Amino acid sequence: STGGSSLLTGTSYTTPSINTTTTYYVDATNNGCTTGARTAVIATVNTLPVVTAASIPTSGAICIGSNATLNGAGATSYTWTGGVTNGTAFAQSQ
């Protein structure tokens, strides 16, 4: 909140890659007048969700032509694909 070295002068600052929540401090200058105290700006780093999926029935086996329900756990949003080949999602075919 005091001292230290200036990281950048400008209207925005892009942090380097950070892995933990980090506090930065900012002050403002307008027409030669600078704020009396710095303001803390917290860059919150959220942990990546862990996704687990289970098919119903729990054995993971179904009969040909039947449907299976897949359930995600550990996040608030999911994107389902049939699989990935060389980093590209592909649709499931029968």
Side-chain angles (χ1 to χ4, degrees), residues 28-92:
T29 301
N30 191 26
N31 295 324
C33 298
T34 301
T35 54
R38 294 178 181 165
T39 299
V41 179
I42 300 171
T44 302
V45 175
N46 296 320
T47 57
L48 293 174
V50 175
V51 178
T52 57
S55 71
I56 305 299
T58 56
S59 68
I62 61 169
C63 295
I64 292 174
S66 297
N67 295 328
T69 300
L70 304 177
N71 300 297
T76 57
S77 177
Y78 300 92
T79 301
W80 297 91
T81 60
V84 175
T85 300
N86 296 327
T88 304
F90 64 89
Q92 176 133 6

